[in-house]
Amino acid sequence: RNTNVQPQKQEGFRVVLVKLPQGDIQEHQFSPLANISEKYAGGRARFTLQQNMAFRWVREEALYPLWKDLKEVGLAEPEVNTITDVTSCPGTDSCKLGITSSMGLGRAIMENLADMNISDPQVKGLHIKMSGCPNSCGQHHLANIGFHGASMKGDRGNQVPSYEMFIGGSYQDLNGHTEARIGLRPKGKIPSKKVPEI
């Protein structure tokens, strides 16, 4: 309720955000999600720029039954739009422009963040985003911490997948107000394997 439910302008209604890790929905979840949408949101669902799903027009009294139905299908995770809700483009998984596997990096970062058990609200409010190339499909330039795929020369002259880092970007402040700002890019590249640790 604290992170996945927002008030709607119309009294008595809420917007419910469903956390989809990196925007992925599994095959067995589609039909139940369609039924949930029909039951609670008038048959409509929207996808957000942060790769999550939004149900609008959910009545206040339907929040708990909706949560139970989402839990049955494995989509009741909290902390939408927090530091653990990492956004990434598909990178080399399916894009011909991808230089690095941004989806793999996203999974590794989410695992590290889960192990850290972050409780500080200022840290939780940060956003991490990544793209497999400089094209910004993963919105890395607007993230508080962003990465875009690159390559660098290894010790033996070989090409090593790496990332360039962006710090201090923003598309929203902690109170939900729009404050767009492109992040600054420190000099140097980070080998892909070191990014989750950093």
Side-chain angles (χ1 to χ4, degrees), residues 31-94:
S31 290
L33 275 173
N35 294 334
I36 288 169
S37 171
E38 189 69 39
K39 187 174 178 181
Y40 299 105
R44 295 183 182 191
R46 295 182 181 197
F47 291 92
T48 71
L49 288 173
Q50 283 67 45
Q51 300 175 328
N52 294 308
M53 182 180 286
F55 291 124
R56 297 179 66 224
W57 298 103
V58 177
R59 294 191 175 278
E60 174 76 30
E61 60 273 11
L63 291 176
Y64 182 68
L66 170 58
W67 176 78
K68 283 175 46 179
D69 287 353
L70 287 170
K71 189 169 179 143
E72 280 184 32
V73 77
L75 291 172
E77 289 297 312
E79 300 190 347
V80 167
N81 297 332
T82 66
I83 194 168
T84 61
D85 192 10
V86 174
T87 302
S88 70
C89 75
T92 56
D93 287 11
S94 64

Side-chain angles (χ1 to χ4, degrees), residues 1 46 63 96 131:
R1 187 175 182 93
R46 295 182 181 197
L63 291 176
K96 292 181 181 185
S131 301

Side-chain angles (χ1 to χ4, degrees), residues 129-181:
K129 299 176 182 290
M130 63 215 57
S131 301
C133 74
N135 285 336
S136 295
C137 297
Q139 310 161 38
H140 65 267
H141 61 292
L142 294 177
N144 302 121
I145 303 170
F147 301 96
H148 82 64
S151 65
M152 59 190 284
K153 286 198 176 188
D155 296 339
R156 293 176 231 129
N158 55 328
Q159 293 291 323
V160 175
S162 62
Y163 284 88
E164 292 196 28
M165 187 175 195
F166 288 74
I167 302 288
S170 176
Y171 61 92
Q172 195 176 56
D173 66 16
L174 292 173
N175 298 318
H177 300 106
T178 302
E179 185 189 318
R181 180 176 61 243

